[in-house]
Amino acid sequence: MSETLVLLIKIVVVLAWFLVLALLLTWVERKQSAVMQDRIGANRARIFGLRMFGLFQPFADAIKMIFKEDFVPPFADKVLHTLAPFVSFFFVAVAVTTIPFGPTVRIGGTAIDLQVYDGSAGLLFLLAMLSLGVYGILLSGWSSRNRWGLIGGMRGAAQLISYEVGLGLSLVGLIMVYPSLRLSEIVAHQGALFLGFLPRWGVFLQPLGFLVFFITAIAETKRVPFDLPEGESEIIGFYAEYGGLKWGLFMLTDFMEIIVVAALATTLFFGGWQMPWLGPDGLNWPWGGHWKMASWVVVCLQIVSFQVKVAFFCWLQILIRWTYPRIRYDQLMDLGWKLLVPLGLLNILGTGLIMSLK
Amino acid sequence: MTADVIFCVLAVVSVGAAAAMIVSKNQGHNALFLVLCFSALGGIFGLLGAPFAAAVQILVYAGAIMVLFIFVVMMVDPRAGIPPERRRRAKLLGVGMGVVLLFELGVAAWGWLGKTASPVPPAGGPAGTPIAVGRLLFSEYVYPFEITSVLILAALVGAVVLGKKEESEP
């Protein structure tokens, strides 16, 4: 029974973390774009005169969306039109369950993994859930019976399917280096040292793999420079016929995808919750020093380290989103099929060669 | 106990979705019911202690193949249906395929009835893990695996050739 209770608590905590971070990211996105465009950004939302740099803006947005009319166009497929945003949201929310947030913690004799689901095919499960997210786009575009929505849905499906190939190939080299599909094991492998001082992080062992992974993963989030399914300045895209909270759900899903990509990049290529040179008994400096620490301090440091890395990658993606213009459709397909897929294959070949020489 | 309940739910969903797929007239709904059926089947694989098969079932069938199906269905007017001149052919083809499927099912059931022990290994064992499946694929089943790969490659090349042909004839 207590196992079920622990699992329930973990699910609630992870979901709360996920949604709160996604809400915060909407604020970060507004402020980041404002800083980059020499504006002040959203700062008017306030509670009892308290402005907090516009931190209440996400709540104001949510209230606005709740009070909008929940409109389904008369020509739309009503069931699928309503289902689509929930499909989008659900699969991203499930995907985050495989991410390890920290090491195994012992509380009163029971060992608790800071991870909801640690399957032996965890990485494949995560990719499967992310690949199902495409149904939200397809359904919303198709069920709206709107030309622009349909074009957006088709573009989205084609883009996501194309970039999934590159995404999968970029991770094969990583699975060869850390021989496991279990995310907790991949993180555990990254705790060791490499050349005496570098942590064995994926980015040092698989630099090309990381490059291909990050570009394809950004394309999977469908944001600028890969926002052709939406294309807000030309076709409005797959959610042209959505308003109010359903539209808000699509927006929230976008930000949740950013978090999943950031968490995945952290877990696979940047050591997950591992902090460089931090062992279970304290810091072991590569030049020979040793700082002793209590085990709870180490666990806290590792959890914070994971959060810092995820925050950094979220910020980096927002930076990229506000830096580059949208690429053309033929450029998108060329980049995916003619550059990233061959690079992914080359990475597998190179990894195999180096591993067989060892 | 919990596993039994989950199995019942998944079984009902998969069979129900398959039946709804056959009954429904809208091509888009057909494809979506098939996706639901595949997803429920993936869940059953996971429940039987085969996480690799479960993830691949969803990743490949629901996540890739059916997306391409729906991609094509999206371009068709859902209210049009099959044109009348092809309806006869579709019926004949359907009957033929049905007979073949019934024959295959009968053979499978015949073989299954003859056995006494359950061929399914106990859930939670190492049989369904990615490592075990990978070892089997590259040792005992390496020829079927490689021949399937060549077949898929041939289909890919064929698709490229067909696509090129259409492009050169404006």
Side-chain angles (χ1 to χ4, degrees):
Chain A
M1 192 61 220
S2 76
E3 245 176 55
T4 318
L5 191 68
V6 167
L7 193 65
L8 269 179
I9 292 173
K10 277 199 278 195
I11 291 172
V12 169
V13 169
V14 167
L15 204 58
W17 172 85
F18 204 26
L19 292 176
V20 168
L21 194 57
L23 274 184
L24 270 178
L25 274 187
T26 65
W27 175 79
V28 173
E29 168 128 320
R30 281 158 182 266
K31 280 295 186 187
Q32 177 72 31
S33 63
V35 167
M36 290 174 74
Q37 296 169 349
D38 205 9
R39 296 183 282 116
I40 294 172
N43 68 344
R44 298 295 174 90
R46 62 177 177 218
I47 298 174
F48 302 124
L50 198 65
R51 278 195 179 171
M52 297 271 294
F53 316 106
L55 257 179
F56 297 124
Q57 187 65 39
F59 300 102
D61 286 342
I63 292 168
K64 182 189 82 177
M65 283 186 284
I66 288 168
F67 285 103
K68 276 192 169 183
E69 186 188 355
D70 180 24
F71 184 71
V72 179
F75 42 81
D77 189 324
K78 287 191 178 50
V79 178
L80 292 184
H81 187 270
T82 311
L83 192 69
F86 296 96
V87 168
S88 266
F89 175 85
F90 176 78
F91 289 116
V92 182
V94 171
V96 85
T97 54
T98 53
I99 302 288
F101 283 76
T104 306
V105 185
R106 299 200 153 273
I107 298 174
T110 48
I112 298 170
D113 300 325
L114 297 184
Q115 183 180 13
V116 178
Y117 169 67
D118 188 19
S120 60
L123 185 56
L124 279 182
F125 176 79
L126 198 155
L127 290 179
M129 288 302 120
L130 286 184
S131 77
L132 285 183
V134 68
Y135 282 106
I137 303 167
L138 267 175
L139 288 187
S140 58
W142 183 64
S143 67
S144 300
R145 301 271 153 79
N146 172 321
R147 267 72 172 173
W148 304 123
L150 188 64
I151 292 174
M154 309 261 293
R155 283 185 182 180
Q159 175 180 334
L160 263 58
I161 281 278
S162 305
Y163 276 77
E164 237 164 54
V165 178
L167 185 72
L169 286 176
S170 72
L171 295 179
V172 173
L174 188 100
I175 298 164
M176 286 158 77
V177 175
Y178 310 117
S180 180
L181 287 170
R182 201 183 276 274
L183 285 171
S184 63
E185 260 175 51
I186 291 177
V187 173
H189 277 293
Q190 299 185 54
L193 287 184
F194 167 59
L195 297 178
F197 66 100
L198 270 179
R200 269 182 78 90
W201 285 1
V203 69
F204 298 124
L205 301 178
Q206 292 278 317
L208 187 60
F210 174 67
L211 191 74
V212 176
F213 164 79
F214 201 57
I215 297 174
T216 49
I218 289 176
E220 291 279 310
T221 62
K222 336 176 269 302
R223 283 159 57 86
V224 184
F226 301 104
D227 73 327
L228 292 113
E230 183 189 346
E232 57 181 7
S233 54
E234 47 175 47
I235 61 165
I236 322 291
F238 57 93
Y239 45 60
E241 295 289 353
Y242 283 86
L245 260 189
K246 285 182 198 154
W247 176 84
L249 216 49
F250 275 123
M251 277 286 115
L252 196 64
T253 308
D254 253 22
F255 285 98
M256 285 158 76
E257 275 175 354
I258 295 175
I259 299 169
V260 167
V261 167
L264 204 56
T266 306
T267 307
L268 297 176
F269 291 98
F270 285 84
W273 43 263
Q274 305 268 10
M275 205 172 129
W277 313 305
L278 186 71
D281 54 343
L283 272 166
N284 296 304
W285 297 112
W287 50 86
H290 177 73
W291 286 7
K292 216 171 156 42
M293 283 180 190
S295 67
W296 66 270
V297 178
V298 170
V299 169
C300 286
L301 273 177
Q302 283 170 336
I303 294 171
V304 169
S305 140
F306 177 79
Q307 303 292 339
V308 168
K309 287 175 199 168
V310 169
F312 171 77
F313 278 107
C314 290
W315 172 79
L316 186 66
Q317 286 179 70
I318 288 172
L319 193 73
I320 289 169
R321 186 242 182 275
W322 288 97
T323 304
Y324 291 99
R326 179 187 314 141
I327 61 176
R328 233 169 38 218
Y329 193 73
D330 57 327
Q331 291 170 334
L332 175 91
M333 285 298 153
D334 280 358
L335 179 69
W337 287 107
K338 294 185 185 163
L339 186 68
L340 294 176
V341 168
L343 275 182
L345 288 170
L346 194 70
N347 184 46
I348 298 173
L349 197 68
T351 311
L353 276 178
I354 292 172
M355 282 179 76
S356 62
L357 285 178
K358 246 193 252 179
Chain B
M1 174 60 206
T2 324
D4 289 343
V5 172
I6 297 173
F7 175 80
C8 285
V9 170
L10 287 175
V12 167
V13 167
S14 60
V15 174
M21 184 205 91
I22 296 167
V23 172
S24 168
K25 290 272 179 202
N26 183 326
Q27 289 104 322
H29 293 180
N30 285 349
L32 289 169
F33 276 125
L34 197 55
V35 172
L36 188 62
C37 177
F38 284 150
S39 307
L41 273 181
I44 290 177
F45 288 160
L47 210 60
L48 288 173
F52 182 77
V56 168
Q57 165 85 12
I58 293 176
L59 190 64
V60 174
Y61 283 97
I65 293 177
M66 288 315 292
V67 173
L68 295 179
F69 268 74
I70 293 179
F71 196 82
V72 175
V73 168
M74 271 166 72
M75 301 196 213
V76 182
D77 184 4
R79 280 154 297 191
I82 311 171
E85 69 269 17
R86 282 170 60 186
R87 206 164 284 168
R88 209 181 135 79
R89 215 168 9 148
K91 244 177 210 164
L92 268 174
L93 203 63
V95 169
M97 299 287 268
V99 167
V100 170
L101 180 68
L102 208 64
F103 179 70
E104 275 184 16
L105 281 177
V107 169
W110 188 254
W112 183 69
L113 281 176
K115 279 180 192 162
T116 45
S118 153
V120 181
T129 59
I131 294 171
V133 174
R135 265 189 221 295
L136 275 181
L137 274 185
F138 283 101
S139 59
E140 205 177 329
Y141 297 102
V142 66
Y143 290 118
F145 180 68
E146 293 297 334
I147 289 168
T148 314
S149 314
V150 171
L151 274 179
I152 292 174
L153 189 68
L156 262 176
V157 173
V160 170
V161 169
L162 285 176
K164 280 269 180 220
K165 209 172 166 188
E166 253 170 43
E167 206 175 67
S168 62
E169 290 169 19

